[in-house]
Amino acid sequence: MSGTFVGMPAFPAAARDAVHDPTLRATLRHATHTIRDKRARAVAELPDWQRLREAGKRVKDHTLRHLDRYLLQLEESVVLAGGTVHWAADADEANRIVADLVKATGEREVVKVKSMATQEIGLNEALAAEGITAYETDLAELIVQLGHDRPSHILVPAIHRNRGEIRDIFRAEMGAWGRPAPDGLGDSPAELAEAARLHLREKFLRARVGVSGANFMVAETGTLVVLESEGNGRMCLTLPETLISVVGIEKTVPTWRDLEIFLQTLPRSSTAERMNPYTSMWTGTADGDGPSVFHLVLLDNGRTDTLADEVGRQALRCIRCSACLNVCPVYERAGGHAYGSVYPGPIGAILSPQLRGTTSEIDASLPYASSLCGACYEVCPVAIDIPEVLVHLRERVARQGGPGHRVEKAAMKAASWAMDRPAVLAAAERAATRTRRLHLARLPGAGAWTAERELPRIPEKSFRDWWKEREE
Amino acid sequence: MRVALFVTCVNDALYPATGIATVRLLERLGVEVDFPPAQTCCGQAQYNTGYRHETEPLVRRMGTVFEGYDHVVTPSGSCAAMVRENYPRIARRAAAEGRGDGLGAIADSLVPRVHELSEFLVDVLGVTDVGAYFPHTVTYHPSCHGLRTLGLGERPRRLLEAVRGLELRELPGAEECCGFGGTFALKNPDVSAAMGADKADHALATGAEVLCGADSSCLMHLDGILRRRGSPLRPLHLAEILAATEGEPHV
Ligand code: SF4
């Protein structure tokens, strides 16, 4: 995945600053609560929601089980429609393919449709290293890019920014990238949107190469699909001469008909809209209509490894709606940056450690970045049991050992040993009771507990002893 | 009807009053309660921290201890959820790894017999008015595992609404997690405390005297936060409220 996150501290440390930043917490709280309430209303409108959810899950599971076959079918369809297909095993390979394709056009700049896959591989940075400038055209992505910042949410990458901050970023940075912000720019949504529109229009009309991702790829027809709200994507997908789409292999669906499910569940889950304003679909190339050259880069980057894991593979069903972020109480307090990946929140906590492995500090800490409350599972439109995968990945991390886990493992083993011996447990309880005023503060973990909480009081008698006395 | 109490390790060691109240309540309703002393713990902490293998002996112990009882009642939504949701999983995976011997049968046998307290009262005994008397203002926090994994729905609230003298106050953001989450409270103390602080604020805003829940671990976390603030709001387990009567009021 993207090199920008290498060397991140573990989640608890990364989350600490956000937790203690009242402005950030208020901004995140307001944004997530607004969208989660709207989503709940949009979903409640569909009487067959649970069946759509089940259908989406099944289509994805079926496709993943036969992914090899569907990918070959997809390649064949794309080629037949006039496109070219490239296979990329990892981020470096994908970046190299895209850079070479852009250079072959003789161009030095590209316009981009918001895409998680290109962020995942750090494409913008890789292109910059080759002297190619990539312009983000999604409003929130533009804010992040101009602010030299990192995205903090899948759908609303600038969720952590308020209007005043956005105005300041536009004023200070737009000029260096193209058309500057209008004089006296205020912070009303209309003014900010207009400034972005003027700045971007210039880019759309000039660009000869567009780079996108895709929400879905249809194997039977070779059609790629992008859902968006602002229309910037439609511009990037239709105006340039060359279009390069970088897409994770798991985005495949078998048939055109399957789209029907996701075109209902994705907008309602993500933006709480009945239908998203723009749905663009393209199949290869067509004479005199849209790009004349089309390249599809199929990205693996850890996906086949994820597919090999029986429990963890369900993460590949994800359609990146971000509903799980918006209901997650941990995301709400920690913010997106703490997850050290372009995939924050609950889905990031299970996807990143699978795509990247669990060797880095941040990846080993992500499976624990959840209280397992289950809100993410409840809202997920493809029914990914995120808590199940989190626990499964904790097992992987615990087994691999590392800082903290040796002591923890010994403690867990000791606990299981004692818990398998009721007499030992009863004796331990009695010992605790006898010395109850003395030693609790020295228990392992007590330091973390007592920073903002009192320890529980030890009762005079355990339940077990009360029962025993009563029986006698 | 042979009914066993699964008191849970947290209640046994730290909140015996919850177990005692459960026994008193069930006996008042005419249920004969047994407490098999060989019981210990459902293994939730180990399982959720990533030590699945270590939970296998505990699954086996639960099976042996509660064999022969028609119903196993527990005053803990999360421990009931552990059995119902995760025991079949543990058994399935153990079998796939060649350590299956009997775990599947244990899980199959336990799952339909293990009930969280409010489920047992409403679904098995068919009562919502348990004859309790508790003249206080109360707000109810539905813990995540009871709410989402077990789907307890309105059961605890219906029980509380039928208590004489009790005034139930709506808890804002009731369905949000309190931030305990087992070892989460230790591994991510800042986020956990921030979640708990918000829950405490919401509970205090109701102006209620008592914060009721059906999971002692969540209440322990909230109690720790409230006591640190010196707040008079008192966390109490659902069982303790339902056990209170005019003759034997809660003190
Ligand atoms: S995991 Fe589910 S809820 Fe979260 S982004 Fe993916 S599809 Fe949406």
Side-chain angles (χ1 to χ4, degrees):
Chain A
M1 257 199 227
S2 170
T4 42
F5 295 102
V6 164
M8 278 273 303
F11 183 84
R16 193 166 301 134
D17 292 342
V19 166
H20 298 291
D21 177 345
T23 317
L24 177 61
R25 262 181 74 183
T27 306
L28 281 168
R29 180 176 175 79
H30 177 74
T32 55
H33 280 251
T34 308
I35 184 83
R36 83 166 71 151
D37 295 345
K38 279 202 202 146
R39 186 214 74 102
R41 283 196 295 274
V43 162
E45 283 181 359
L46 291 184
D48 59 345
W49 181 260
Q50 288 307 332
R51 290 175 58 203
L52 280 168
R53 187 174 182 242
E54 181 62 26
K57 171 185 180 217
R58 286 207 188 154
V59 166
K60 284 275 182 178
D61 274 348
H62 167 84
T63 318
L64 290 169
R65 212 171 312 123
H66 306 287
L67 193 59
D68 48 349
R69 173 150 65 79
Y70 285 118
L71 283 171
L72 290 176
Q73 190 189 5
L74 175 74
E75 178 180 40
E76 202 179 300
S77 315
V78 169
V79 171
L80 211 63
T84 310
V85 175
H86 310 260
W87 299 82
D90 57 19
D92 286 344
E93 192 175 2
N95 287 331
R96 203 173 335 112
I97 293 169
V98 177
D100 288 347
L101 289 170
V102 177
K103 281 198 236 158
T105 65
E107 292 296 314
R108 285 285 160 211
E109 49 181 54
V110 301
V111 285
K112 281 190 68 201
V113 187
K114 175 178 163 14
S115 130
M116 299 304 298
T118 58
Q119 280 177 15
E120 174 189 320
I121 59 176
L123 179 66
N124 292 7
E125 294 80 7
L127 290 178
E130 302 273 345
I132 300 162
T133 312
Y135 293 107
E136 293 292 348
T137 65
D138 172 88
L139 177 56
E141 284 297 342
L142 177 72
I143 295 164
V144 169
Q145 188 174 45
L146 291 174
H148 311 285
D149 198 357
R150 285 179 193 160
S152 149
H153 189 278
I154 292 180
L155 193 79
V156 205
I159 194 168
H160 57 298
R161 295 291 197 185
N162 62 37
R163 285 185 295 167
E165 291 176 303
I166 295 169
R167 179 205 48 210
D168 296 343
I169 292 172
F170 278 10
R171 278 189 184 160
E173 304 285 344
M174 265 185 174
W177 281 85
R179 185 180 174 126
D183 287 338
L185 175 67
D187 68 356
S188 73
E191 278 178 276
L192 295 173
E194 185 59 15
R197 186 176 293 132
L198 293 170
H199 177 82
L200 287 170
R201 179 120 331 185
E202 190 186 277
K203 301 243 152 49
F204 293 136
L205 294 174
R206 200 173 62 207
R208 300 165 71 99
V209 180
V211 172
S212 86
N215 294 94
F216 304 99
M217 305 186 286
V218 182
E220 69 170 355
T221 56
T223 306
L224 272 72
V225 187
V226 159
L227 279 66
E228 48 137 357
S229 300
E230 297 166 14
N232 64 298
R234 175 73 53 89
M235 300 264 206
C236 296
L237 294 166
T238 50
L239 290 173
E241 283 160 19
T242 301
L243 174 60
I244 305 168
S245 301
V246 183
V247 191
I249 52 176
E250 84 283 14
K251 299 268 157 163
T252 315
V253 295
T255 70
W256 180 262
R257 236 193 105 171
D258 297 321
L259 290 176
E260 177 228 1
I261 303 161
F262 304 109
L263 294 185
Q264 294 184 71
T265 52
L266 179 51
R268 284 183 201 255
S269 304
S270 59
T271 47
E273 290 165 306
R274 294 180 178 137
M275 195 181 172
N276 50 291
Y278 297 87
T279 302
S280 301
M281 300 179 168
W282 65 103
T283 310
T285 55
D287 280 343
D289 182 13
S292 53
V293 180
F294 169 58
H295 293 278
L296 171 60
V297 182
L298 289 171
L299 178 71
D300 186 323
N301 207 32
R303 284 159 175 77
T304 43
D305 290 344
T306 307
L307 201 52
D309 187 300
E310 199 189 314
V311 178
R313 70 168 66 124
Q314 56 184 308
L316 296 178
R317 292 206 292 259
C318 176
I319 54 174
R320 312 278 190 264
C321 71
S322 69
C324 58
L325 278 63
N326 297 328
V327 295
C328 178
V330 176
Y331 174 86
E332 181 187 325
R333 272 90 184 177
H337 291 160
Y339 293 81
S341 144
V342 298
Y343 303 110
I347 182 61
I350 61 168
L351 194 58
S352 308
Q354 294 200 86
L355 295 180
R356 303 192 292 209
T358 46
T359 48
S360 75
E361 222 188 305
I362 179 79
D363 286 311
S365 71
L366 286 176
Y368 300 92
S370 165
S371 63
L372 305 179
C373 81
C376 48
Y377 178 29
E378 191 175 60
V379 296
C380 178
V382 283
I384 300 172
D385 192 340
I386 296 177
E388 181 191 14
V389 182
L390 286 166
V391 169
H392 174 69
L393 295 173
R394 288 176 187 188
E395 193 181 324
R396 190 187 291 180
V397 174
R399 207 177 302 153
Q400 116 197 345
H405 290 285
R406 224 189 327 260
V407 180
E408 181 182 276
K409 183 163 192 170
M412 289 294 172
K413 272 205 146 79
S416 286
W417 183 85
M419 290 300 182
D420 209 15
R421 286 160 184 80
V424 174
L425 178 64
E429 281 170 0
R430 258 170 241 136
T433 299
R434 266 198 309 275
T435 55
R436 67 203 178 98
R437 263 169 261 288
L438 302 175
H439 72 150
L440 247 190
R442 289 206 305 267
L443 284 179
W449 180 273
T450 51
E452 291 176 68
R453 283 163 290 211
E454 295 295 318
L455 283 165
R457 300 186 178 106
I458 302 269
E460 286 170 33
K461 199 184 291 170
S462 72
F463 176 83
R464 170 181 309 276
D465 283 346
W466 173 82
W467 180 270
K468 203 166 151 212
E469 280 170 26
R470 198 175 96 126
E471 294 294 279
E472 277 157 8
Chain B
M1 181 162 71
R2 289 192 73 220
V3 176
L5 169 68
F6 169 43
V7 79
T8 80
C9 61
V10 168
N11 285 323
D12 181 17
L14 295 174
Y15 295 97
T18 300
I20 296 168
T22 308
V23 173
R24 291 223 168 102
L25 168 66
L26 292 175
E27 288 181 347
R28 192 173 78 216
L29 296 170
V31 179
E32 217 175 291
V33 185
D34 195 11
F35 175 79
Q39 64 176 278
T40 54
C41 152
C42 67
Q44 185 182 191
Q46 290 94 324
Y47 181 78
N48 282 349
T49 314
Y51 296 86
R52 175 169 55 87
H53 287 192
E54 280 76 0
T55 62
E56 287 172 13
L58 301 180
V59 173
R60 201 158 275 133
R61 166 166 294 277
M62 289 282 286
T64 321
V65 166
F66 294 113
E67 207 178 329
Y69 290 97
D70 302 319
H71 302 284
V72 182
V73 182
T74 180
S76 162
S78 66
C79 299
M82 170 68 187
V83 174
R84 289 242 280 275
E85 184 90 345
N86 296 324
Y87 276 22
R89 251 176 210 162
I90 293 167
R92 223 180 306 127
R93 303 217 60 206
E97 290 162 16
R99 294 185 315 284
D101 43 319
L103 280 185
I106 291 172
D108 288 347
S109 150
L110 276 173
V111 165
R113 289 186 294 129
V114 168
H115 312 275
E116 183 275 339
L117 177 63
S118 73
E119 272 180 334
F120 182 75
L121 295 172
V122 175
D123 300 354
V124 181
L125 296 185
V127 290
T128 44
D129 184 348
V130 296
Y133 173 71
F134 190 76
H136 300 281
T137 47
V138 174
T139 191
Y140 178 73
H141 166 60
S143 288
C144 300
H145 293 156
L147 183 73
R148 299 196 185 84
T149 317
L150 296 179
L152 294 182
E154 291 296 298
R155 291 179 186 86
R157 295 188 36 147
R158 276 166 55 206
L159 289 162
L160 286 172
E161 275 162 6
V163 172
R164 271 177 314 118
L166 187 149
E167 185 198 324
L168 193 59
R169 302 248 170 109
E170 207 57 50
L171 177 66
E175 305 204 339
E176 282 173 40
C177 178
C178 71
F180 174 64
T183 43
F184 174 74
L186 300 174
K187 285 187 181 268
N188 283 285
D190 296 86
V191 181
S192 165
M195 288 161 70
D198 288 346
K199 182 62 73 180
D201 287 342
H202 288 150
L204 287 166
T206 65
E209 300 159 66
V210 169
L211 169 58
C212 174
D215 244 302
S216 293
S217 333
C218 303
L219 292 176
M220 169 176 80
H221 161 72
L222 293 170
D223 181 47
I225 289 171
L226 290 165
R227 272 198 286 131
R228 174 63 57 91
R229 293 189 186 182
S231 152
L233 178 63
R234 205 156 45 116
L236 262 192
H237 194 284
L238 177 70
E240 292 184 74
I241 292 177
L242 297 182
T245 60
E246 252 145 299
E248 272 186 288
H250 192 274
V251 280

